[in-house]
Amino acid sequence: LGVRARLLIRMARLQEAQATLEHMLFLDQGLADPVIGQIAHHLQVELASCSGHADKAWSHAEKVAHIAAQFASPYYRVWQGTDHGS
């Protein structure tokens, strides 16, 4: 789903991308590993940036950072770094 959302964003099919990302966040509920949610929030940053919504981009970047802070995995920190310009 993440690849689908990214491609939709790149094709400027932003409403479809948003729906896909919302579905990803729905699927993420209750999972012990937050990787689906973190990817969805990361892509929400990209979507918000393409839409000119800096406030939404920042909000989702903060969610990515929060997940990275909770889980001591380098994988999560990489996602965090890409959203904060590291």
Side-chain angles (χ1 to χ4, degrees):
L1 288 173
V3 172
R4 173 181 164 71
R6 174 162 273 158
L7 291 172
L8 289 168
I9 292 167
R10 301 282 169 95
M11 293 186 301
R13 293 168 55 180
L14 305 183
Q15 290 179 339
E16 291 174 79
Q18 179 64 40
T20 301
L21 294 172
E22 288 173 6
H23 184 63
M24 286 179 70
L25 290 172
F26 173 77
L27 294 174
D28 183 58
Q29 294 175 8
L31 296 177
D33 184 349
V35 70
I36 301 296
Q38 190 175 31
I39 292 170
H41 287 298
H42 169 76
L43 291 170
Q44 287 279 14
V45 172
E46 187 173 335
L47 176 61
S49 297
C50 291
S51 303
H53 295 105
D55 55 332
K56 287 183 183 179
W58 185 254
S59 174
H60 286 287
E62 288 297 315
K63 290 176 184 176
V64 171
H66 179 73
I67 293 169
Q70 286 183 312
F71 295 85
S73 166
Y75 179 80
Y76 293 114
R77 290 192 197 120
V78 167
W79 284 101
Q80 174 189 16
T82 61
D83 288 336
H84 282 96
S86 298

Coordinates of all heavy atoms in Angstrom, one line a residue:
L1 N 0.8 -1.2 0.0 CA 0.0 0.0 0.0 C 0.9 1.3 0.0 O 0.5 2.3 -0.6 CB -0.9 0.0 1.2 CG -2.1 -1.0 1.1 CD1 -2.9 -1.0 2.5 CD2 -3.0 -0.7 0.0
G2 N 2.0 1.2 0.7 CA 2.9 2.3 0.7 C 3.4 2.7 -0.6 O 3.5 3.9 -1.0
V3 N 3.8 1.7 -1.4 CA 4.3 2.0 -2.8 C 3.1 2.6 -3.6 O 3.3 3.5 -4.4 CB 4.8 0.7 -3.4 CG1 5.1 0.9 -4.9 CG2 6.1 0.2 -2.7
R4 N 1.9 2.0 -3.5 CA 0.8 2.6 -4.2 C 0.6 4.0 -3.8 O 0.4 4.9 -4.7 CB -0.5 1.7 -3.8 CG -1.7 2.3 -4.4 CD -3.0 1.5 -4.0 NE -4.2 2.2 -4.2 CZ -4.8 2.4 -5.4 NH1 -4.2 2.1 -6.5 NH2 -5.9 3.0 -5.5
A5 N 0.6 4.3 -2.6 CA 0.4 5.7 -2.1 C 1.5 6.6 -2.7 O 1.2 7.7 -3.2 CB 0.4 5.8 -0.6
R6 N 2.7 6.2 -2.7 CA 3.8 7.0 -3.2 C 3.6 7.3 -4.7 O 3.8 8.4 -5.2 CB 5.1 6.4 -2.9 CG 6.3 7.2 -3.6 CD 7.6 6.9 -3.1 NE 7.8 7.8 -2.0 CZ 8.7 7.6 -1.0 NH1 9.4 6.5 -1.0 NH2 8.8 8.5 0.0
L7 N 3.3 6.2 -5.4 CA 3.0 6.4 -6.9 C 1.9 7.3 -7.1 O 1.9 8.2 -8.1 CB 2.8 5.1 -7.5 CG 4.1 4.2 -7.6 CD1 3.7 2.8 -8.1 CD2 5.1 4.8 -8.4
L8 N 0.8 7.2 -6.4 CA -0.3 8.1 -6.6 C 0.1 9.6 -6.3 O -0.4 10.5 -7.0 CB -1.5 7.7 -5.7 CG -2.2 6.4 -6.1 CD1 -3.1 5.9 -5.0 CD2 -2.9 6.6 -7.4
I9 N 0.9 9.8 -5.3 CA 1.4 11.1 -5.0 C 2.2 11.7 -6.2 O 1.9 12.8 -6.6 CB 2.2 11.1 -3.7 CG1 1.3 10.8 -2.5 CG2 2.9 12.5 -3.5 CD1 2.1 10.5 -1.2
R10 N 3.0 10.8 -6.7 CA 3.9 11.3 -7.8 C 3.1 11.5 -9.1 O 3.5 12.3 -9.9 CB 5.0 10.2 -8.1 CG 5.9 10.0 -6.9 CD 6.9 11.0 -6.7 NE 7.7 11.0 -5.5 CZ 8.8 10.4 -5.3 NH1 9.4 9.8 -6.3 NH2 9.4 10.4 -4.1
M11 N 1.9 10.9 -9.2 CA 1.1 11.1 -10.4 C 0.1 12.2 -10.1 O -0.8 12.4 -10.9 CB 0.4 9.8 -10.7 CG 1.3 8.7 -11.2 SD 0.5 7.2 -11.9 CE -0.5 6.7 -10.5
A12 N 0.2 12.9 -9.0 CA -0.7 14.0 -8.6 C -2.2 13.5 -8.4 O -3.1 14.3 -8.6 CB -0.6 15.1 -9.5
R13 N -2.3 12.2 -8.0 CA -3.7 11.7 -7.7 C -3.8 11.7 -6.2 O -3.8 10.7 -5.5 CB -3.8 10.3 -8.3 CG -3.8 10.4 -9.9 CD -3.7 9.1 -10.6 NE -4.7 8.1 -10.2 CZ -4.7 6.9 -10.7 NH1 -3.8 6.5 -11.7 NH2 -5.6 6.0 -10.3
L14 N -3.9 12.9 -5.7 CA -3.7 13.2 -4.3 C -4.9 12.6 -3.4 O -4.7 12.1 -2.3 CB -3.5 14.6 -4.0 CG -2.2 15.2 -4.7 CD1 -2.0 16.7 -4.4 CD2 -1.0 14.4 -4.5
Q15 N -6.1 12.7 -3.9 CA -7.2 12.2 -3.2 C -7.1 10.7 -3.0 O -7.4 10.1 -2.0 CB -8.6 12.6 -3.8 CG -8.8 14.1 -3.7 CD -10.2 14.4 -4.4 OE1 -10.7 13.7 -5.2 NE2 -10.7 15.6 -4.0
E16 N -6.7 10.0 -4.1 CA -6.6 8.5 -4.0 C -5.4 8.2 -3.1 O -5.5 7.2 -2.3 CB -6.3 8.0 -5.4 CG -7.5 8.0 -6.3 CD -7.1 7.6 -7.7 OE1 -7.0 6.3 -7.9 OE2 -6.8 8.4 -8.6
A17 N -4.4 9.0 -3.1 CA -3.2 8.7 -2.2 C -3.7 8.9 -0.7 O -3.4 8.1 0.1 CB -2.1 9.7 -2.5
Q18 N -4.5 9.9 -0.5 CA -5.0 10.2 0.9 C -5.8 9.0 1.4 O -5.7 8.5 2.5 CB -5.8 11.5 0.9 CG -6.3 11.8 2.3 CD -5.2 12.0 3.3 OE1 -4.2 12.7 3.1 NE2 -5.4 11.5 4.5
A19 N -6.7 8.5 0.5 CA -7.5 7.4 0.9 C -6.7 6.1 1.2 O -7.0 5.4 2.1 CB -8.5 7.1 -0.2
T20 N -5.7 5.9 0.4 CA -4.8 4.8 0.6 C -4.1 4.9 1.9 O -3.9 3.9 2.7 CB -3.8 4.6 -0.5 OG1 -4.5 4.5 -1.8 CG2 -2.8 3.5 -0.3
L21 N -3.6 6.1 2.2 CA -2.9 6.3 3.5 C -3.8 6.2 4.7 O -3.4 5.6 5.7 CB -2.2 7.7 3.5 CG -1.0 7.8 2.4 CD1 -0.5 9.2 2.4 CD2 0.1 6.8 2.8
E22 N -5.0 6.6 4.6 CA -6.0 6.5 5.6 C -6.2 5.0 5.9 O -6.4 4.5 7.0 CB -7.3 7.2 5.3 CG -7.1 8.7 5.4 CD -8.3 9.5 5.0 OE1 -9.4 8.9 4.6 OE2 -8.2 10.7 4.9
H23 N -6.3 4.2 4.8 CA -6.5 2.8 4.9 C -5.3 2.1 5.6 O -5.5 1.2 6.5 CB -6.7 2.1 3.5 CG -7.0 0.7 3.6 ND1 -8.2 0.2 4.2 CD2 -6.3 -0.4 3.1 CE1 -8.2 -1.1 4.1 NE2 -7.1 -1.5 3.4
M24 N -4.1 2.6 5.3 CA -2.9 2.0 6.0 C -3.0 2.3 7.5 O -2.6 1.5 8.3 CB -1.6 2.7 5.4 CG -1.3 2.1 4.0 SD 0.2 2.9 3.4 CE 1.5 2.2 4.5
L25 N -3.4 3.5 7.9 CA -3.4 3.9 9.3 C -4.5 3.1 10.0 O -4.4 2.7 11.1 CB -3.7 5.4 9.4 CG -2.5 6.2 9.1 CD1 -2.8 7.7 9.1 CD2 -1.3 6.0 10.0
F26 N -5.6 2.8 9.3 CA -6.6 1.9 9.8 C -6.1 0.5 10.1 O -6.3 -0.1 11.1 CB -7.9 1.9 8.9 CG -8.9 0.9 9.3 CD1 -9.8 1.2 10.3 CD2 -9.0 -0.4 8.7 CE1 -10.7 0.2 10.8 CE2 -9.9 -1.3 9.1 CZ -10.8 -1.0 10.1
L27 N -5.4 0.0 9.1 CA -4.8 -1.4 9.3 C -3.8 -1.4 10.4 O -3.5 -2.5 11.0 CB -4.2 -1.8 7.9 CG -5.1 -2.0 6.8 CD1 -4.3 -2.3 5.5 CD2 -6.1 -3.2 7.1
D28 N -3.1 -0.3 10.6 CA -2.0 -0.2 11.6 C -2.6 -0.3 13.1 O -1.9 -0.7 14.0 CB -1.2 1.0 11.5 CG -0.1 1.1 12.4 OD1 0.8 0.2 12.4 OD2 -0.1 2.1 13.2
Q29 N -3.8 0.0 13.3 CA -4.4 0.0 14.6 C -4.3 -1.4 15.3 O -4.7 -2.4 14.7 CB -5.9 0.3 14.6 CG -6.1 1.8 14.1 CD -7.6 2.1 14.0 OE1 -8.5 1.3 14.3 NE2 -7.9 3.2 13.4
G30 N -3.7 -1.4 16.5 CA -3.6 -2.6 17.2 C -2.4 -3.5 16.9 O -2.2 -4.5 17.6
L31 N -1.6 -3.1 15.9 CA -0.4 -3.9 15.6 C 0.7 -3.6 16.7 O 0.8 -2.4 17.1 CB 0.1 -3.6 14.2 CG -0.8 -4.0 13.1 CD1 -0.2 -3.6 11.7 CD2 -1.1 -5.5 13.1
A32 N 1.4 -4.6 17.1 CA 2.5 -4.3 18.0 C 3.7 -3.6 17.4 O 4.3 -2.8 18.0 CB 3.0 -5.6 18.6
D33 N 3.9 -3.8 16.1 CA 5.0 -3.1 15.4 C 4.4 -2.0 14.5 O 3.6 -2.2 13.7 CB 5.7 -4.1 14.4 CG 6.9 -3.6 13.7 OD1 7.1 -2.3 13.7 OD2 7.6 -4.4 13.1
P34 N 4.8 -0.8 14.8 CA 4.2 0.4 14.2 C 4.7 0.7 12.8 O 4.5 1.9 12.3 CB 4.5 1.5 15.1 CG 5.9 1.2 15.7 CD 5.8 -0.4 15.8
V35 N 5.4 -0.2 12.1 CA 6.0 0.1 10.8 C 5.0 0.6 9.8 O 5.3 1.6 9.0 CB 6.9 -1.0 10.3 CG1 6.0 -2.2 9.8 CG2 7.8 -0.6 9.2
I36 N 3.8 0.0 9.7 CA 2.8 0.4 8.8 C 2.4 1.9 9.0 O 2.4 2.7 8.1 CB 1.6 -0.5 8.8 CG1 2.0 -1.9 8.5 CG2 0.5 0.0 7.8 CD1 2.5 -2.2 7.1
G37 N 2.2 2.2 10.3 CA 1.8 3.6 10.6 C 2.9 4.6 10.4 O 2.7 5.7 9.9
Q38 N 4.1 4.2 10.7 CA 5.2 5.1 10.4 C 5.4 5.4 9.0 O 5.6 6.6 8.6 CB 6.5 4.6 11.1 CG 7.6 5.7 11.0 CD 8.9 5.2 11.7 OE1 9.2 4.1 11.8 NE2 9.6 6.2 12.3
I39 N 5.3 4.4 8.1 CA 5.4 4.6 6.7 C 4.3 5.5 6.2 O 4.5 6.4 5.4 CB 5.5 3.3 5.9 CG1 6.8 2.5 6.2 CG2 5.3 3.5 4.4 CD1 6.8 1.1 5.8
A40 N 3.1 5.2 6.7 CA 1.9 6.0 6.3 C 2.1 7.5 6.7 O 1.8 8.4 5.9 CB 0.6 5.5 6.9
H41 N 2.6 7.7 7.9 CA 2.8 9.1 8.3 C 3.9 9.8 7.5 O 3.8 10.9 7.2 CB 3.1 9.2 9.8 CG 1.9 8.9 10.7 ND1 0.8 9.8 10.7 CD2 1.7 8.0 11.6 CE1 -0.1 9.3 11.5 NE2 0.4 8.2 12.1
H42 N 5.0 9.0 7.2 CA 6.0 9.5 6.4 C 5.5 10.0 5.0 O 5.8 11.0 4.5 CB 7.1 8.5 6.2 CG 8.1 8.8 5.1 ND1 9.1 9.7 5.4 CD2 8.3 8.4 3.9 CE1 9.9 9.8 4.2 NE2 9.4 9.0 3.4
L43 N 4.6 9.1 4.4 CA 4.1 9.5 3.1 C 3.1 10.6 3.2 O 2.9 11.4 2.3 CB 3.4 8.2 2.5 CG 4.5 7.2 2.0 CD1 3.8 5.9 1.6 CD2 5.3 7.7 0.9
Q44 N 2.4 10.7 4.4 CA 1.5 11.9 4.6 C 2.3 13.2 4.6 O 1.8 14.2 4.1 CB 0.8 11.8 6.0 CG -0.3 10.7 6.0 CD -1.6 11.2 5.4 OE1 -1.7 12.2 4.7 NE2 -2.7 10.5 5.6
V45 N 3.6 13.1 5.0 CA 4.5 14.3 5.0 C 4.7 14.7 3.5 O 4.5 15.9 3.1 CB 5.8 14.0 5.6 CG1 6.8 15.2 5.4 CG2 5.6 13.8 7.1
E46 N 5.0 13.7 2.7 CA 5.2 13.9 1.2 C 3.9 14.5 0.6 O 3.9 15.4 -0.2 CB 5.6 12.6 0.6 CG 6.0 12.8 -0.9 CD 6.6 11.5 -1.5 OE1 7.1 10.7 -0.7 OE2 6.5 11.4 -2.7
L47 N 2.7 13.9 0.9 CA 1.5 14.3 0.4 C 1.1 15.7 0.8 O 0.8 16.6 0.0 CB 0.3 13.4 0.8 CG -1.1 13.7 0.4 CD1 -1.2 13.7 -1.1 CD2 -2.1 12.7 1.0
A48 N 1.3 16.1 2.1 CA 1.0 17.4 2.5 C 2.0 18.4 1.9 O 1.6 19.5 1.6 CB 1.2 17.4 4.1
S49 N 3.2 18.0 1.7 CA 4.2 18.9 1.0 C 3.7 19.2 -0.4 O 3.8 20.4 -0.9 CB 5.6 18.3 1.0 OG 6.0 18.2 2.3
C50 N 3.3 18.2 -1.1 CA 2.8 18.4 -2.5 C 1.5 19.2 -2.5 O 1.3 19.9 -3.5 CB 2.5 17.0 -3.1 SG 4.0 16.1 -3.5
S51 N 0.8 19.2 -1.5 CA -0.5 20.0 -1.4 C -0.3 21.4 -0.8 O -1.3 22.1 -0.8 CB -1.5 19.2 -0.5 OG -1.7 17.9 -1.0
G52 N 0.9 21.7 -0.4 CA 1.2 23.0 0.2 C 0.7 23.2 1.6 O 0.4 24.3 2.0
H53 N 0.5 22.1 2.3 CA 0.1 22.1 3.7 C 1.2 21.8 4.7 O 1.3 20.7 5.2 CB -1.1 21.1 3.9 CG -2.3 21.4 3.1 ND1 -2.6 20.7 2.0 CD2 -3.2 22.3 3.3 CE1 -3.7 21.2 1.5 NE2 -4.1 22.2 2.2
A54 N 2.0 22.8 4.9 CA 3.2 22.7 5.8 C 2.8 22.3 7.2 O 3.5 21.5 7.8 CB 4.0 24.0 5.8
D55 N 1.7 22.8 7.7 CA 1.3 22.4 9.0 C 0.9 20.9 9.1 O 1.3 20.3 10.1 CB 0.0 23.2 9.5 CG -1.1 23.1 8.5 OD1 -0.9 22.9 7.3 OD2 -2.3 23.3 9.0
K56 N 0.3 20.4 8.2 CA 0.0 18.9 8.2 C 1.3 18.1 8.0 O 1.5 17.1 8.6 CB -1.0 18.6 7.0 CG -2.4 19.0 7.3 CD -3.3 18.5 6.2 CE -4.7 19.0 6.4 NZ -5.6 18.6 5.3
A57 N 2.2 18.6 7.2 CA 3.5 17.9 7.0 C 4.2 17.8 8.3 O 4.7 16.8 8.7 CB 4.3 18.6 5.9
W58 N 4.3 19.0 9.0 CA 5.0 19.0 10.3 C 4.3 18.1 11.3 O 5.0 17.4 12.0 CB 5.0 20.4 10.8 CG 5.9 20.5 12.0 CD1 5.4 20.7 13.3 CD2 7.3 20.4 12.1 NE1 6.5 20.7 14.2 CE2 7.6 20.5 13.5 CE3 8.3 20.2 11.2 CZ2 8.9 20.5 13.9 CZ3 9.6 20.2 11.6 CH2 9.9 20.3 13.0
S59 N 3.0 18.1 11.3 CA 2.3 17.2 12.3 C 2.6 15.7 12.0 O 2.9 15.0 13.0 CB 0.8 17.4 12.1 OG 0.0 16.5 12.9
H60 N 2.6 15.3 10.8 CA 2.9 13.9 10.5 C 4.4 13.6 10.7 O 4.7 12.5 11.2 CB 2.5 13.6 9.1 CG 1.0 13.4 8.9 ND1 0.3 12.3 9.4 CD2 0.1 14.2 8.3 CE1 -1.0 12.5 9.2 NE2 -1.1 13.6 8.5
A61 N 5.3 14.6 10.5 CA 6.7 14.4 10.8 C 6.9 14.2 12.3 O 7.7 13.4 12.7 CB 7.5 15.6 10.3
E62 N 6.2 14.9 13.1 CA 6.3 14.7 14.5 C 5.8 13.3 14.9 O 6.3 12.7 15.9 CB 5.4 15.8 15.2 CG 6.1 17.2 15.2 CD 7.4 17.2 15.8 OE1 7.6 16.7 17.0 OE2 8.4 17.8 15.2
K63 N 4.8 12.8 14.3 CA 4.3 11.4 14.6 C 5.4 10.4 14.2 O 5.6 9.5 15.0 CB 3.0 11.2 13.8 CG 1.8 12.0 14.4 CD 0.6 11.8 13.6 CE -0.5 12.7 14.2 NZ -1.8 12.6 13.5
V64 N 6.0 10.6 13.1 CA 7.1 9.7 12.7 C 8.2 9.8 13.8 O 8.8 8.8 14.2 CB 7.7 10.1 11.3 CG1 9.0 9.3 11.0 CG2 6.7 9.8 10.3
A65 N 8.6 11.0 14.2 CA 9.6 11.2 15.3 C 9.2 10.5 16.6 O 10.0 9.9 17.3 CB 9.9 12.6 15.5
H66 N 7.9 10.6 16.9 CA 7.4 10.0 18.2 C 7.6 8.5 18.1 O 8.0 7.9 19.1 CB 6.0 10.4 18.4 CG 5.4 9.8 19.6 ND1 5.7 10.2 20.9 CD2 4.5 8.8 19.8 CE1 5.0 9.5 21.8 NE2 4.3 8.6 21.1
I67 N 7.2 7.9 17.0 CA 7.4 6.4 16.8 C 8.9 6.0 16.9 O 9.2 5.1 17.6 CB 6.8 5.9 15.5 CG1 5.3 6.1 15.5 CG2 7.2 4.5 15.2 CD1 4.6 5.9 14.2
A68 N 9.7 6.8 16.3 CA 11.2 6.5 16.3 C 11.7 6.6 17.7 O 12.6 5.9 18.1 CB 11.9 7.5 15.4
A69 N 11.2 7.6 18.5 CA 11.7 7.7 19.9 C 11.2 6.5 20.8 O 11.9 6.2 21.7 CB 11.2 9.0 20.5
Q70 N 10.1 6.0 20.5 CA 9.5 4.8 21.2 C 10.2 3.5 21.0 O 10.3 2.7 21.8 CB 8.0 4.7 21.0 CG 7.2 5.7 21.6 CD 5.7 5.4 21.4 OE1 5.3 5.1 20.2 NE2 4.9 5.4 22.4
F71 N 10.7 3.3 19.8 CA 11.3 2.1 19.3 C 12.8 2.3 19.0 O 13.1 3.1 18.1 CB 10.6 1.5 18.2 CG 9.2 1.1 18.5 CD1 8.1 2.1 18.5 CD2 8.9 -0.2 18.9 CE1 6.9 1.7 18.8 CE2 7.6 -0.5 19.3 CZ 6.6 0.4 19.2
A72 N 13.7 1.6 19.7 CA 15.1 1.8 19.5 C 15.7 1.1 18.3 O 16.8 0.6 18.3 CB 15.8 1.4 20.8
S73 N 15.0 1.2 17.2 CA 15.5 0.5 16.0 C 16.1 1.5 15.0 O 15.5 2.6 14.8 CB 14.3 -0.2 15.3 OG 14.6 -0.6 14.0
P74 N 17.2 1.3 14.4 CA 17.8 2.2 13.4 C 16.8 2.4 12.3 O 16.8 3.5 11.7 CB 19.1 1.5 13.0 CG 19.4 0.6 14.1 CD 18.1 0.1 14.7
Y75 N 16.0 1.4 11.9 CA 15.1 1.5 10.8 C 14.1 2.7 11.1 O 13.9 3.5 10.2 CB 14.3 0.2 10.7 CG 13.3 0.2 9.6 CD1 13.6 0.0 8.3 CD2 11.9 0.4 9.9 CE1 12.7 0.0 7.3 CE2 11.0 0.4 8.9 CZ 11.3 0.2 7.6 OH 10.4 0.3 6.6
Y76 N 13.6 2.8 12.3 CA 12.6 3.8 12.6 C 13.3 5.2 12.6 O 12.8 6.2 12.2 CB 12.0 3.6 13.9 CG 11.1 2.4 13.9 CD1 11.3 1.3 14.7 CD2 9.9 2.4 13.1 CE1 10.5 0.2 14.6 CE2 9.1 1.3 13.1 CZ 9.4 0.2 13.8 OH 8.6 -0.9 13.8
R77 N 14.6 5.2 13.0 CA 15.3 6.5 13.1 C 15.6 7.0 11.7 O 15.7 8.2 11.4 CB 16.6 6.3 13.9 CG 16.3 6.2 15.3 CD 17.5 6.3 16.2 NE 17.2 5.8 17.5 CZ 17.9 4.8 18.0 NH1 18.9 4.2 17.4 NH2 17.6 4.3 19.2
V78 N 15.8 6.1 10.7 CA 16.0 6.5 9.3 C 14.8 7.2 8.8 O 14.9 8.3 8.2 CB 16.4 5.3 8.4 CG1 16.3 5.7 6.9 CG2 17.8 4.8 8.8
W79 N 13.6 6.7 9.0 CA 12.4 7.4 8.6 C 12.3 8.7 9.3 O 11.9 9.7 8.6 CB 11.1 6.5 8.9 CG 11.0 5.4 8.0 CD1 11.3 4.0 8.3 CD2 10.4 5.4 6.7 NE1 11.0 3.3 7.2 CE2 10.5 4.0 6.2 CE3 9.9 6.4 5.9 CZ2 10.0 3.7 4.9 CZ3 9.5 6.0 4.6 CH2 9.5 4.7 4.1
Q80 N 12.6 8.8 10.5 CA 12.5 10.1 11.2 C 13.5 11.1 10.6 O 13.1 12.2 10.3 CB 12.9 9.9 12.7 CG 13.0 11.2 13.5 CD 13.6 11.0 14.8 OE1 14.2 10.0 15.1 NE2 13.4 12.0 15.7
G81 N 14.7 10.7 10.3 CA 15.6 11.6 9.7 C 15.2 12.1 8.3 O 15.5 13.3 8.0
T82 N 14.6 11.3 7.5 CA 14.1 11.8 6.2 C 13.0 12.8 6.3 O 12.9 13.7 5.5 CB 13.7 10.6 5.3 OG1 12.6 10.0 5.9 CG2 14.8 9.6 5.1
D83 N 12.2 12.7 7.3 CA 11.1 13.7 7.5 C 11.6 15.0 8.1 O 10.9 16.0 8.0 CB 10.0 13.1 8.3 CG 9.2 12.1 7.5 OD1 9.3 12.1 6.3 OD2 8.6 11.2 8.2
H84 N 12.7 15.0 8.8 CA 13.2 16.2 9.5 C 14.4 16.8 8.8 O 15.1 17.6 9.3 CB 13.5 15.9 10.9 CG 12.3 15.9 11.8 ND1 11.6 14.7 12.1 CD2 11.6 16.9 12.4 CE1 10.6 15.0 12.9 NE2 10.5 16.3 13.0
G85 N 14.7 16.3 7.6 CA 15.7 16.9 6.8 C 17.1 16.4 7.2 O 18.1 17.1 6.8
S86 N 17.3 15.3 7.9 CA 18.6 14.9 8.3 C 19.3 14.2 7.1 O 18.7 13.6 6.3 CB 18.5 13.9 9.5 OG 17.9 14.6 10.6

